[in-house]
Amino acid sequence: MKVESLHPFGVCMQGLSCADLMGLPVDFMEKALIQQGLVLIDNIQLTAQEIKLFCERFSALEPTDLKKSEDEVDGVLRVTSATKNGEPLGIFGHASGLGWHANRPSSRDRKSIVCTYSSEGCDGTETWWASTQLVLQGLKEEERDHLRKIKAHFGYKPGTYTEENYKPHKNSEAWPLITERQGREILYFPFNQIIEYQSDLADAHFEPLIAKLQDQVTSESFVYRHKWSGHQL
């Protein structure tokens, strides 16, 4: 197995077969995800059933009520090849890319790991990941202290990830922007899906800080842009 760093964060693993992937210890993969934020496995042939088996090594898959096509495996959604009247629908009905988002952002039941696999016809398409961890590390201690006092309600518009007409998820709750996971602080900030904030901070502190966060989260310094080719996980 060959391992290379991605920029500005993440790691790429090459030379793995399906059997190799299934043989990697779960704690090794979990540590890689926690430390790197993103793990790319290049040039690996997988079926939908094999993707499901791999993901189930970490946890049960998140249930979905989205309509599945006949060839889909339960728990694994095909999101880019659906057509209507001969025209591609795109991801969840979109004809173009989605904006910055997190899946089910306010739900207590959400799964925090997303697994995406490129099959045929994905060459040249792009996905961008933002490292909120790098953003958090670059903030001043006073700014981090202010963020610890802010919570937010996030939401969604059924069938889309647009910025309008959001409603809370079932089992929704206000989430702190800074929480502690795996023994370290993390920043959770899917800003396009914020319905409202809960904060006692004065506007003079709150508004500039939120504006700075949004600017930095989408900055080239903290974003990994991936151009897909076939058979990448």
PDB file of all heavy atoms in Angstrom, residues 130-156:
ATOM      1  N   ALA A 130     -14.135  20.870   3.053  1.00  0.00           N
ATOM      2  CA  ALA A 130     -13.549  21.935   3.874  1.00  0.00           C
ATOM      3  C   ALA A 130     -13.152  21.363   5.228  1.00  0.00           C
ATOM      4  O   ALA A 130     -13.919  20.619   5.844  1.00  0.00           O
ATOM      5  CB  ALA A 130     -14.549  23.069   4.072  1.00  0.00           C
ATOM      6  N   SER A 131     -11.970  21.704   5.701  1.00  0.00           N
ATOM      7  CA  SER A 131     -11.510  21.246   7.008  1.00  0.00           C
ATOM      8  C   SER A 131     -11.806  22.305   8.060  1.00  0.00           C
ATOM      9  O   SER A 131     -11.055  23.273   8.222  1.00  0.00           O
ATOM     10  CB  SER A 131     -10.005  20.959   6.987  1.00  0.00           C
ATOM     11  OG  SER A 131      -9.565  20.654   8.300  1.00  0.00           O
ATOM     12  N   THR A 132     -12.908  22.124   8.770  1.00  0.00           N
ATOM     13  CA  THR A 132     -13.215  23.056   9.853  1.00  0.00           C
ATOM     14  C   THR A 132     -12.200  22.900  10.990  1.00  0.00           C
ATOM     15  O   THR A 132     -12.007  23.826  11.780  1.00  0.00           O
ATOM     16  CB  THR A 132     -14.628  22.819  10.399  1.00  0.00           C
ATOM     17  OG1 THR A 132     -14.774  21.433  10.742  1.00  0.00           O
ATOM     18  CG2 THR A 132     -15.677  23.188   9.362  1.00  0.00           C
ATOM     19  N   GLN A 133     -11.538  21.749  11.041  1.00  0.00           N
ATOM     20  CA  GLN A 133     -10.516  21.552  12.071  1.00  0.00           C
ATOM     21  C   GLN A 133      -9.337  22.489  11.850  1.00  0.00           C
ATOM     22  O   GLN A 133      -8.815  23.091  12.794  1.00  0.00           O
ATOM     23  CB  GLN A 133     -10.041  20.102  12.075  1.00  0.00           C
ATOM     24  CG  GLN A 133      -9.217  19.711  13.283  1.00  0.00           C
ATOM     25  CD  GLN A 133     -10.001  19.829  14.583  1.00  0.00           C
ATOM     26  OE1 GLN A 133     -11.212  19.657  14.582  1.00  0.00           O
ATOM     27  NE2 GLN A 133      -9.322  20.156  15.663  1.00  0.00           N
ATOM     28  N   LEU A 134      -8.901  22.640  10.596  1.00  0.00           N
ATOM     29  CA  LEU A 134      -7.816  23.573  10.303  1.00  0.00           C
ATOM     30  C   LEU A 134      -8.240  25.010  10.591  1.00  0.00           C
ATOM     31  O   LEU A 134      -7.447  25.816  11.085  1.00  0.00           O
ATOM     32  CB  LEU A 134      -7.390  23.441   8.842  1.00  0.00           C
ATOM     33  CG  LEU A 134      -6.664  22.156   8.440  1.00  0.00           C
ATOM     34  CD1 LEU A 134      -6.333  22.177   6.946  1.00  0.00           C
ATOM     35  CD2 LEU A 134      -5.380  21.974   9.261  1.00  0.00           C
ATOM     36  N   VAL A 135      -9.493  25.335  10.277  1.00  0.00           N
ATOM     37  CA  VAL A 135     -10.009  26.678  10.565  1.00  0.00           C
ATOM     38  C   VAL A 135      -9.948  26.939  12.062  1.00  0.00           C
ATOM     39  O   VAL A 135      -9.480  27.999  12.514  1.00  0.00           O
ATOM     40  CB  VAL A 135     -11.453  26.844  10.050  1.00  0.00           C
ATOM     41  CG1 VAL A 135     -12.041  28.174  10.515  1.00  0.00           C
ATOM     42  CG2 VAL A 135     -11.489  26.766   8.529  1.00  0.00           C
ATOM     43  N   LEU A 136     -10.418  25.978  12.850  1.00  0.00           N
ATOM     44  CA  LEU A 136     -10.450  26.147  14.305  1.00  0.00           C
ATOM     45  C   LEU A 136      -9.048  26.351  14.863  1.00  0.00           C
ATOM     46  O   LEU A 136      -8.826  27.198  15.730  1.00  0.00           O
ATOM     47  CB  LEU A 136     -11.105  24.925  14.950  1.00  0.00           C
ATOM     48  CG  LEU A 136     -11.284  24.959  16.464  1.00  0.00           C
ATOM     49  CD1 LEU A 136     -12.170  26.128  16.883  1.00  0.00           C
ATOM     50  CD2 LEU A 136     -11.886  23.647  16.962  1.00  0.00           C
ATOM     51  N   GLN A 137      -8.084  25.587  14.365  1.00  0.00           N
ATOM     52  CA  GLN A 137      -6.709  25.695  14.851  1.00  0.00           C
ATOM     53  C   GLN A 137      -6.122  27.080  14.578  1.00  0.00           C
ATOM     54  O   GLN A 137      -5.250  27.545  15.318  1.00  0.00           O
ATOM     55  CB  GLN A 137      -5.836  24.621  14.202  1.00  0.00           C
ATOM     56  CG  GLN A 137      -6.160  23.210  14.644  1.00  0.00           C
ATOM     57  CD  GLN A 137      -5.452  22.152  13.821  1.00  0.00           C
ATOM     58  OE1 GLN A 137      -4.651  22.463  12.928  1.00  0.00           O
ATOM     59  NE2 GLN A 137      -5.741  20.896  14.089  1.00  0.00           N
ATOM     60  N   GLY A 138      -6.605  27.740  13.520  1.00  0.00           N
ATOM     61  CA  GLY A 138      -6.057  29.041  13.161  1.00  0.00           C
ATOM     62  C   GLY A 138      -6.705  30.219  13.862  1.00  0.00           C
ATOM     63  O   GLY A 138      -6.258  31.360  13.689  1.00  0.00           O
ATOM     64  N   LEU A 139      -7.750  29.959  14.656  1.00  0.00           N
ATOM     65  CA  LEU A 139      -8.427  31.047  15.353  1.00  0.00           C
ATOM     66  C   LEU A 139      -7.695  31.429  16.638  1.00  0.00           C
ATOM     67  O   LEU A 139      -7.001  30.614  17.248  1.00  0.00           O
ATOM     68  CB  LEU A 139      -9.863  30.631  15.706  1.00  0.00           C
ATOM     69  CG  LEU A 139     -10.813  30.387  14.539  1.00  0.00           C
ATOM     70  CD1 LEU A 139     -12.159  29.895  15.050  1.00  0.00           C
ATOM     71  CD2 LEU A 139     -10.993  31.634  13.683  1.00  0.00           C
ATOM     72  N   LYS A 140      -7.884  32.674  17.051  1.00  0.00           N
ATOM     73  CA  LYS A 140      -7.327  33.123  18.317  1.00  0.00           C
ATOM     74  C   LYS A 140      -8.105  32.470  19.468  1.00  0.00           C
ATOM     75  O   LYS A 140      -9.270  32.115  19.324  1.00  0.00           O
ATOM     76  CB  LYS A 140      -7.418  34.641  18.430  1.00  0.00           C
ATOM     77  CG  LYS A 140      -6.646  35.389  17.346  1.00  0.00           C
ATOM     78  CD  LYS A 140      -6.903  36.891  17.449  1.00  0.00           C
ATOM     79  CE  LYS A 140      -6.178  37.647  16.335  1.00  0.00           C
ATOM     80  NZ  LYS A 140      -6.456  39.102  16.369  1.00  0.00           N
ATOM     81  N   GLU A 141      -7.468  32.361  20.617  1.00  0.00           N
ATOM     82  CA  GLU A 141      -8.125  31.739  21.766  1.00  0.00           C
ATOM     83  C   GLU A 141      -9.382  32.509  22.157  1.00  0.00           C
ATOM     84  O   GLU A 141     -10.407  31.914  22.526  1.00  0.00           O
ATOM     85  CB  GLU A 141      -7.162  31.666  22.957  1.00  0.00           C
ATOM     86  CG  GLU A 141      -7.773  31.051  24.208  1.00  0.00           C
ATOM     87  CD  GLU A 141      -8.342  29.658  23.979  1.00  0.00           C
ATOM     88  OE1 GLU A 141      -7.749  28.879  23.204  1.00  0.00           O
ATOM     89  OE2 GLU A 141      -9.388  29.330  24.584  1.00  0.00           O
ATOM     90  N   GLU A 142      -9.360  33.838  22.057  1.00  0.00           N
ATOM     91  CA  GLU A 142     -10.547  34.641  22.376  1.00  0.00           C
ATOM     92  C   GLU A 142     -11.693  34.309  21.428  1.00  0.00           C
ATOM     93  O   GLU A 142     -12.857  34.209  21.850  1.00  0.00           O
ATOM     94  CB  GLU A 142     -10.217  36.134  22.281  1.00  0.00           C
ATOM     95  CG  GLU A 142     -11.400  37.042  22.622  1.00  0.00           C
ATOM     96  CD  GLU A 142     -11.081  38.510  22.438  1.00  0.00           C
ATOM     97  OE1 GLU A 142     -10.162  38.831  21.637  1.00  0.00           O
ATOM     98  OE2 GLU A 142     -11.747  39.334  23.080  1.00  0.00           O
ATOM     99  N   GLU A 143     -11.380  34.091  20.144  1.00  0.00           N
ATOM    100  CA  GLU A 143     -12.413  33.737  19.174  1.00  0.00           C
ATOM    101  C   GLU A 143     -12.978  32.349  19.459  1.00  0.00           C
ATOM    102  O   GLU A 143     -14.196  32.130  19.380  1.00  0.00           O
ATOM    103  CB  GLU A 143     -11.833  33.795  17.752  1.00  0.00           C
ATOM    104  CG  GLU A 143     -11.459  35.196  17.310  1.00  0.00           C
ATOM    105  CD  GLU A 143     -10.713  35.221  15.994  1.00  0.00           C
ATOM    106  OE1 GLU A 143      -9.897  34.305  15.740  1.00  0.00           O
ATOM    107  OE2 GLU A 143     -10.933  36.173  15.212  1.00  0.00           O
ATOM    108  N   ARG A 144     -12.108  31.417  19.807  1.00  0.00           N
ATOM    109  CA  ARG A 144     -12.592  30.073  20.153  1.00  0.00           C
ATOM    110  C   ARG A 144     -13.466  30.116  21.399  1.00  0.00           C
ATOM    111  O   ARG A 144     -14.477  29.400  21.499  1.00  0.00           O
ATOM    112  CB  ARG A 144     -11.412  29.118  20.362  1.00  0.00           C
ATOM    113  CG  ARG A 144     -10.664  28.786  19.075  1.00  0.00           C
ATOM    114  CD  ARG A 144      -9.762  27.580  19.257  1.00  0.00           C
ATOM    115  NE  ARG A 144      -8.665  27.844  20.166  1.00  0.00           N
ATOM    116  CZ  ARG A 144      -7.469  28.301  19.782  1.00  0.00           C
ATOM    117  NH1 ARG A 144      -7.224  28.552  18.514  1.00  0.00           N
ATOM    118  NH2 ARG A 144      -6.514  28.505  20.671  1.00  0.00           N
ATOM    119  N   ASP A 145     -13.098  30.957  22.354  1.00  0.00           N
ATOM    120  CA  ASP A 145     -13.894  31.092  23.575  1.00  0.00           C
ATOM    121  C   ASP A 145     -15.287  31.635  23.250  1.00  0.00           C
ATOM    122  O   ASP A 145     -16.293  31.181  23.811  1.00  0.00           O
ATOM    123  CB  ASP A 145     -13.177  32.010  24.564  1.00  0.00           C
ATOM    124  CG  ASP A 145     -13.858  32.034  25.918  1.00  0.00           C
ATOM    125  OD1 ASP A 145     -14.079  30.947  26.493  1.00  0.00           O
ATOM    126  OD2 ASP A 145     -14.196  33.128  26.399  1.00  0.00           O
ATOM    127  N   HIS A 146     -15.372  32.603  22.342  1.00  0.00           N
ATOM    128  CA  HIS A 146     -16.681  33.123  21.924  1.00  0.00           C
ATOM    129  C   HIS A 146     -17.503  32.025  21.248  1.00  0.00           C
ATOM    130  O   HIS A 146     -18.711  31.886  21.501  1.00  0.00           O
ATOM    131  CB  HIS A 146     -16.502  34.293  20.949  1.00  0.00           C
ATOM    132  CG  HIS A 146     -16.022  35.557  21.589  1.00  0.00           C
ATOM    133  ND1 HIS A 146     -16.350  35.922  22.881  1.00  0.00           N
ATOM    134  CD2 HIS A 146     -15.241  36.571  21.110  1.00  0.00           C
ATOM    135  CE1 HIS A 146     -15.795  37.078  23.174  1.00  0.00           C
ATOM    136  NE2 HIS A 146     -15.113  37.502  22.117  1.00  0.00           N
ATOM    137  N   LEU A 147     -16.865  31.238  20.401  1.00  0.00           N
ATOM    138  CA  LEU A 147     -17.583  30.185  19.674  1.00  0.00           C
ATOM    139  C   LEU A 147     -18.139  29.118  20.610  1.00  0.00           C
ATOM    140  O   LEU A 147     -19.183  28.516  20.325  1.00  0.00           O
ATOM    141  CB  LEU A 147     -16.662  29.530  18.643  1.00  0.00           C
ATOM    142  CG  LEU A 147     -16.356  30.352  17.390  1.00  0.00           C
ATOM    143  CD1 LEU A 147     -15.299  29.644  16.550  1.00  0.00           C
ATOM    144  CD2 LEU A 147     -17.619  30.576  16.574  1.00  0.00           C
ATOM    145  N   ARG A 148     -17.458  28.876  21.718  1.00  0.00           N
ATOM    146  CA  ARG A 148     -17.933  27.874  22.680  1.00  0.00           C
ATOM    147  C   ARG A 148     -19.276  28.276  23.290  1.00  0.00           C
ATOM    148  O   ARG A 148     -19.972  27.434  23.867  1.00  0.00           O
ATOM    149  CB  ARG A 148     -16.895  27.668  23.784  1.00  0.00           C
ATOM    150  CG  ARG A 148     -15.586  27.048  23.291  1.00  0.00           C
ATOM    151  CD  ARG A 148     -14.611  26.802  24.427  1.00  0.00           C
ATOM    152  NE  ARG A 148     -13.309  26.373  23.928  1.00  0.00           N
ATOM    153  CZ  ARG A 148     -12.216  27.131  23.924  1.00  0.00           C
ATOM    154  NH1 ARG A 148     -12.265  28.384  24.402  1.00  0.00           N
ATOM    155  NH2 ARG A 148     -11.069  26.664  23.432  1.00  0.00           N
ATOM    156  N   LYS A 149     -19.648  29.529  23.133  1.00  0.00           N
ATOM    157  CA  LYS A 149     -20.887  30.032  23.721  1.00  0.00           C
ATOM    158  C   LYS A 149     -22.030  30.116  22.698  1.00  0.00           C
ATOM    159  O   LYS A 149     -23.098  30.629  23.014  1.00  0.00           O
ATOM    160  CB  LYS A 149     -20.642  31.428  24.324  1.00  0.00           C
ATOM    161  CG  LYS A 149     -19.551  31.438  25.393  1.00  0.00           C
ATOM    162  CD  LYS A 149     -19.200  32.857  25.807  1.00  0.00           C
ATOM    163  CE  LYS A 149     -18.032  32.859  26.799  1.00  0.00           C
ATOM    164  NZ  LYS A 149     -17.605  34.245  27.140  1.00  0.00           N
ATOM    165  N   ILE A 150     -21.797  29.621  21.492  1.00  0.00           N
ATOM    166  CA  ILE A 150     -22.792  29.727  20.430  1.00  0.00           C
ATOM    167  C   ILE A 150     -23.320  28.341  20.057  1.00  0.00           C
ATOM    168  O   ILE A 150     -22.554  27.405  19.863  1.00  0.00           O
ATOM    169  CB  ILE A 150     -22.198  30.391  19.173  1.00  0.00           C
ATOM    170  CG1 ILE A 150     -21.664  31.787  19.496  1.00  0.00           C
ATOM    171  CG2 ILE A 150     -23.256  30.488  18.066  1.00  0.00           C
ATOM    172  CD1 ILE A 150     -20.948  32.450  18.327  1.00  0.00           C
ATOM    173  N   LYS A 151     -24.639  28.239  19.938  1.00  0.00           N
ATOM    174  CA  LYS A 151     -25.294  27.053  19.395  1.00  0.00           C
ATOM    175  C   LYS A 151     -26.093  27.459  18.162  1.00  0.00           C
ATOM    176  O   LYS A 151     -26.369  28.640  17.949  1.00  0.00           O
ATOM    177  CB  LYS A 151     -26.226  26.411  20.429  1.00  0.00           C
ATOM    178  CG  LYS A 151     -25.519  25.826  21.637  1.00  0.00           C
ATOM    179  CD  LYS A 151     -26.516  25.146  22.563  1.00  0.00           C
ATOM    180  CE  LYS A 151     -25.814  24.489  23.735  1.00  0.00           C
ATOM    181  NZ  LYS A 151     -26.775  23.783  24.631  1.00  0.00           N
ATOM    182  N   ALA A 152     -26.468  26.473  17.353  1.00  0.00           N
ATOM    183  CA  ALA A 152     -27.246  26.778  16.152  1.00  0.00           C
ATOM    184  C   ALA A 152     -28.241  25.655  15.875  1.00  0.00           C
ATOM    185  O   ALA A 152     -27.993  24.492  16.178  1.00  0.00           O
ATOM    186  CB  ALA A 152     -26.332  26.972  14.945  1.00  0.00           C
ATOM    187  N   HIS A 153     -29.380  26.045  15.296  1.00  0.00           N
ATOM    188  CA  HIS A 153     -30.328  25.092  14.745  1.00  0.00           C
ATOM    189  C   HIS A 153     -30.084  25.015  13.248  1.00  0.00           C
ATOM    190  O   HIS A 153     -30.008  26.045  12.565  1.00  0.00           O
ATOM    191  CB  HIS A 153     -31.773  25.547  15.005  1.00  0.00           C
ATOM    192  CG  HIS A 153     -32.357  24.953  16.239  1.00  0.00           C
ATOM    193  ND1 HIS A 153     -32.663  23.623  16.360  1.00  0.00           N
ATOM    194  CD2 HIS A 153     -32.688  25.529  17.427  1.00  0.00           C
ATOM    195  CE1 HIS A 153     -33.173  23.391  17.556  1.00  0.00           C
ATOM    196  NE2 HIS A 153     -33.188  24.528  18.223  1.00  0.00           N
ATOM    197  N   PHE A 154     -29.944  23.799  12.736  1.00  0.00           N
ATOM    198  CA  PHE A 154     -29.743  23.586  11.310  1.00  0.00           C
ATOM    199  C   PHE A 154     -30.974  22.904  10.731  1.00  0.00           C
ATOM    200  O   PHE A 154     -31.779  22.325  11.453  1.00  0.00           O
ATOM    201  CB  PHE A 154     -28.510  22.710  11.069  1.00  0.00           C
ATOM    202  CG  PHE A 154     -27.269  23.226  11.719  1.00  0.00           C
ATOM    203  CD1 PHE A 154     -26.872  22.784  12.971  1.00  0.00           C
ATOM    204  CD2 PHE A 154     -26.490  24.179  11.089  1.00  0.00           C
ATOM    205  CE1 PHE A 154     -25.730  23.264  13.577  1.00  0.00           C
ATOM    206  CE2 PHE A 154     -25.338  24.665  11.682  1.00  0.00           C
ATOM    207  CZ  PHE A 154     -24.950  24.205  12.929  1.00  0.00           C
ATOM    208  N   GLY A 155     -31.114  22.973   9.420  1.00  0.00           N
ATOM    209  CA  GLY A 155     -32.280  22.357   8.813  1.00  0.00           C
ATOM    210  C   GLY A 155     -32.056  22.007   7.362  1.00  0.00           C
ATOM    211  O   GLY A 155     -30.944  22.041   6.861  1.00  0.00           O
ATOM    212  N   TYR A 156     -33.149  21.685   6.676  1.00  0.00           N
ATOM    213  CA  TYR A 156     -33.061  21.241   5.289  1.00  0.00           C
ATOM    214  C   TYR A 156     -34.374  21.516   4.586  1.00  0.00           C
ATOM    215  O   TYR A 156     -35.407  21.757   5.223  1.00  0.00           O
ATOM    216  CB  TYR A 156     -32.774  19.740   5.242  1.00  0.00           C
ATOM    217  CG  TYR A 156     -33.972  18.885   5.604  1.00  0.00           C
ATOM    218  CD1 TYR A 156     -34.578  18.077   4.647  1.00  0.00           C
ATOM    219  CD2 TYR A 156     -34.508  18.911   6.889  1.00  0.00           C
ATOM    220  CE1 TYR A 156     -35.688  17.312   4.966  1.00  0.00           C
ATOM    221  CE2 TYR A 156     -35.609  18.150   7.206  1.00  0.00           C
ATOM    222  CZ  TYR A 156     -36.202  17.342   6.259  1.00  0.00           C
ATOM    223  OH  TYR A 156     -37.292  16.590   6.571  1.00  0.00           O
TER     224      TYR A 156
END
